[in-house]
Amino acid sequence: MPLLETDGPRLRLTADLARVCAASHARPLRLSEVLSSADDRGFALVLLLSTFPFVLPFPTLGLATPVGFALALGALGLVLGRPASLPPSLGALEIGPAALARAAAVVSRATWVLSRVTRPRMPFMMGRVMRIALGLSLFTAAVVLGLPIPLPLSNFFPAVAILLLAAGMLEGDGLLVLAGHVATLAVCAVVGVSCTTVLAIGARVFG
């Protein structure tokens, strides 16, 4: 039985997490198993599970660089029109029921917000051409997540962009995907301005 329902109406994020949590009680699940469960929605759930820790108030112990670049490689599949894939090192990562339960609990507490702001709409944002744009935004945000940028909340903002894109994919919400694109552009703008400022200051100091 697939982890994510592929027949009938599209399940919401909370229902998908509940099914994955139930499956993980038998044994820890590899991310590659979640990825292969239901096309792009499987990849969206992997994005959510991999990125979620970076928006929570606890240390991630330098995981942003390997996770960010691994997710960027996976997003290239969307850009190239192929199924998304993960590097073996990330795909082999196991997620136990405790970690999934924590993620599901946080999402459940936000369900009342999600139910008011998300719904299936703007389906053209998930079309074949826009799938390439989606992959590019995911790739860009994941690369920024992986860069060791010495700025406050440097992991938080690209993680939010990825989560918006992933939630939009899971919910079939084109407006949420559009918000993810905007967030990705904003992250790139902030990083670009910050780097330019640092280089200008460095040139004045050492020039």
Side-chain angles (χ1 to χ4, degrees):
M1 188 175 184
L3 295 180
L4 305 186
E5 196 69 52
T6 55
D7 298 324
R10 184 186 295 272
L11 291 178
R12 291 193 176 276
L13 171 59
T14 49
D16 284 333
L17 277 175
R19 291 177 65 85
V20 173
C21 285
S24 72
H25 284 299
R27 59 179 177 81
L29 292 176
R30 293 187 179 92
L31 285 180
S32 58
E33 294 178 281
V34 179
L35 174 68
S36 62
S37 58
D39 301 325
D40 287 351
R41 288 182 62 218
F43 182 53
L45 195 56
V46 167
L47 288 168
L48 187 143
L49 293 173
S50 301
T51 312
F52 204 70
F54 300 107
V55 300
L56 298 178
F58 54 77
T60 52
L61 303 176
L63 290 176
T65 296
V67 169
F69 287 119
L71 293 179
L73 290 175
L76 283 178
L78 301 182
V79 177
L80 299 175
R82 300 199 299 258
S85 60
L86 294 175
S89 57
L90 185 61
L93 183 66
E94 292 185 342
I95 304 180
L100 285 170
R102 285 196 296 270
V106 173
V107 172
S108 295
R109 287 196 290 270
T111 297
W112 67 276
V113 176
L114 293 174
S115 64
R116 286 163 173 75
V117 301
T118 64
R119 63 180 182 274
R121 55 189 162 183
M122 298 172 64
F124 64 89
M125 292 298 296
M126 267 77 69
R128 180 172 298 180
V129 175
M130 295 306 295
R131 187 175 184 267
I132 297 174
L134 177 60
L136 286 172
S137 283
L138 286 170
F139 175 82
T140 303
V143 168
V144 175
L145 175 66
L147 291 175
I149 301 173
L151 293 174
L153 301 176
S154 60
N155 294 335
F156 176 83
F157 292 111
V160 167
I162 293 172
L163 289 175
L164 286 171
L165 293 166
M169 293 170 68
L170 282 167
E171 298 290 342
D173 190 340
L175 185 59
L176 206 57
V177 170
L178 181 60
H181 288 311
V182 173
T184 301
L185 289 174
V187 167
C188 291
V190 170
V191 171
V193 170
S194 300
C195 291
T196 302
T197 302
V198 170
L199 290 174
I201 292 174
R204 287 189 177 185
V205 172
F206 301 105

